[in-house]
Amino acid sequence: MGTGICMVDLKGQYLKIKDEVDAGIRNVLETSSFINGPAVRKFRDDLGKYLGGTNVITCANGTDALQIALMALGLKPGDEVIVPAFTYVSSAEVIGLLGLVPVMVDVDPDTFNVTADNISKALTPATRAIIPVHLFGQSCDMEPILEFAGRHGLHVIEDNAQAIGAEYTFSDGRKAKTGTMGTIGCTSFFPSKNLGCYGDGGAVFCSDGSLAEKISMIANHGQKIKYHHSVIGCNSRLDTIQAAVLEAKLPHLDEYSHARREAADYYDMRLREMDPSGKHYRLPARQKNSTHVWHQYTLKITEGKRDGLKAFLEKLGIPSMIYYPLPLQDQEAFKGIARAAEDLSNARECASSVLSLPMHTELTHEIQDVVIDGIRQFFRL
């Protein structure tokens, strides 16, 4: 049965800003500045302003952004980097790639995010950095994480691939965009991200000017002056066409976040009405001191019925996704190179129960009603 429902409606979003996107791409084609053209520099500067004045270094993708960030910190093989066990592989993959030790810790069972308490249990003399991942669209509780890192001299690399535009409020009332609070922030511009291009892309954020310069050099073969290579680097660039797409989308980012929040509020209202006791599913929790930009709307399905619900919705032509079905500590790739905290029960429970519903800027209540009715049918509510 075909419903036409998408997990992410990129075409619908494109059609609303078609003239802006097409004009940007056409300008790149006409000028033929395909690498590091004016659109790259303009997007980089405009994104930095949006984030509150931080330095932005664009690169080829979000995984490269994380790798470049770790390379810039001068870590040595055997140094430990703490990372949540419930997240996408790239956050830990780059740690292992550089000969560092991924140390996987548990997450909060409600927000799905790593906490200072989780992190503190994994500290050893070899710990050098923490990668908090702002999962599904809201910030980790960063104030205690930053305080812990400061006490122990640890770097904090924020993985902001799913939460760009979210804002965190400190206890003194100060506000900051996710990705700008730690030593370095990283993001992805994969097409399905809240700010996505039409191919691959990524960026690194850093308020420290000298560190930002080093990051920029690493992303460009370790050179500041052409053919003069000061450090070992890599070749990681955001091409100009993708920058033109992102430049067209950036002014709409807050509008996109607002649309996602409205969709999440409607899901909350209808799903809560349908199962007020939470017998069959638990609604997404909202971090009290963070806004939520809803990269994903993720339920926790109880009674071991997650996979059955997903299969039932699929038969109705309703898409859903499981992020992430196997926690990092159970991944074959990390056996022998990673260390895991003793208790990772929350990560394992999340992996076996989460289900993400369609979430994007073009969702209508009519589309959501079809999704919600599918859930109602499965649980016979």
Side-chain angles (χ1 to χ4, degrees):
M1 184 186 301
T3 62
I5 297 175
C6 309
M7 278 298 291
V8 182
D9 184 4
L10 296 177
K11 183 175 181 180
Q13 186 187 71
Y14 160 68
L15 290 175
K16 287 186 175 179
I17 57 170
K18 182 179 186 301
D19 290 346
E20 301 157 62
V21 172
D22 289 0
I25 293 174
R26 190 163 51 248
N27 184 62
V28 176
L29 295 176
E30 289 172 353
T31 60
S32 299
S33 299
F34 299 119
I35 299 296
N36 201 30
V40 176
R41 297 189 290 275
K42 188 170 191 320
F43 170 68
R44 181 185 62 207
D45 293 345
D46 288 348
L47 181 57
K49 291 174 186 174
Y50 175 84
L51 294 171
T54 194
N55 300 292
V56 173
I57 302 94
T58 54
C59 60
N61 55 67
T63 305
D64 276 8
L66 289 163
Q67 178 181 325
I68 290 164
L70 287 170
M71 291 171 70
L73 295 176
L75 305 182
K76 297 178 175 58
D79 287 347
E80 295 183 351
V81 181
I82 295 173
V83 67
F86 184 69
T87 188
Y88 186 59
V89 68
S90 60
S91 307
E93 183 178 41
V94 294
I95 301 170
L97 185 66
L98 295 174
L100 310 171
V101 179
V103 179
M104 293 145 188
V105 300
D106 214 358
V107 296
D108 181 88
D110 298 318
T111 66
F112 309 118
N113 278 333
V114 72
T115 66
D117 184 55
N118 302 141
I119 291 165
S120 67
K121 295 173 184 176
L123 182 71
T124 74
T127 307
R128 295 291 179 268
I130 307 163
I131 301 182
V133 181
H134 303 307
L135 203 68
F136 296 156
Q138 64 184 333
S139 179
C140 298
D141 191 4
M142 287 299 293
E143 188 165 6
I145 291 175
L146 293 170
E147 289 174 352
F148 178 84
R151 286 198 307 272
H152 298 281
L154 306 178
H155 298 294
V156 176
I157 302 167
E158 295 175 73
D159 185 335
N160 196 36
Q162 298 188 19
I164 192 164
E167 191 170 66
Y168 179 84
T169 302
F170 289 85
S171 57
D172 62 3
R174 179 171 58 92
K175 297 179 185 294
K177 295 285 190 185
T178 50
T180 68
M181 295 175 277
T183 315
I184 301 174
C186 302
T187 200
S188 165
F189 300 126
F190 189 78
S192 62
K193 302 300 184 188
N194 291 35
L195 180 62
C197 55
Y198 294 164
D200 272 317
V204 184
F205 316 140
C206 185
S207 59
D208 182 315
S210 60
L211 183 56
E213 185 175 285
K214 185 176 182 182
I215 292 167
S216 182
M217 289 170 60
I218 290 171
N220 186 31
H221 292 292
Q223 62 185 350
K224 183 178 179 181
I225 302 170
K226 195 169 184 178
Y227 302 128
H228 294 259
H229 307 276
S230 304
V231 296
I232 295 296
C234 58
N235 178 27
S236 187
R237 297 180 290 220
L238 177 70
D239 74 66
T240 311
I241 287 177
Q242 301 305 336
V245 172
L246 292 165
E247 180 64 19
K249 282 182 151 189
L250 180 59
H252 300 280
L253 181 55
D254 288 343
E255 167 196 330
Y256 293 160
S257 297
H258 178 73
R260 289 171 178 269
R261 288 189 188 105
E262 285 197 333
D265 289 345
Y266 189 74
Y267 271 139
D268 277 359
M269 179 187 71
R270 289 291 319 281
L271 290 168
R272 188 177 288 114
E273 288 174 351
M274 211 161 64
D275 184 23
S277 67
K279 176 184 177 183
H280 300 293
Y281 48 77
R282 289 170 56 188
L283 301 182
R286 305 181 187 218
Q287 179 74 35
K288 63 181 180 180
N289 46 6
S290 170
T291 61
H292 205 314
V293 295
W294 297 102
H295 178 60
Q296 302 294 342
Y297 184 91
T298 304
L299 299 174
K300 290 179 78 173
I301 311 302
T302 63
E303 305 173 311
K305 294 183 178 179
R306 190 268 308 276
D307 293 350
L309 173 59
K310 187 179 190 310
F312 182 81
L313 293 176
E314 189 174 344
K315 287 182 180 178
L316 297 178
I318 298 170
S320 61
M321 286 292 292
I322 297 171
Y323 305 102
Y324 301 94
L326 192 63
L328 293 183
Q329 74 270 17
D330 294 334
Q331 299 284 352
E332 182 71 25
F334 295 110
K335 290 182 179 178
I337 69 164
R339 185 169 67 81
E342 289 184 10
D343 183 10
L344 294 172
S345 55
N346 291 336
R348 189 164 278 113
E349 189 262 341
C350 288
S352 66
S353 65
V354 295
L355 187 69
S356 296
L357 304 183
M359 172 54 73
H360 53 79
T361 59
E362 310 308 303
L363 270 184
T364 63
H365 291 172
E366 289 76 19
I367 292 172
Q368 291 181 275
D369 285 340
V370 174
V371 177
I372 293 162
D373 189 60
I375 296 170
R376 180 193 61 77
Q377 290 181 51
F378 178 79
F379 289 114
R380 300 182 180 179
L381 298 174

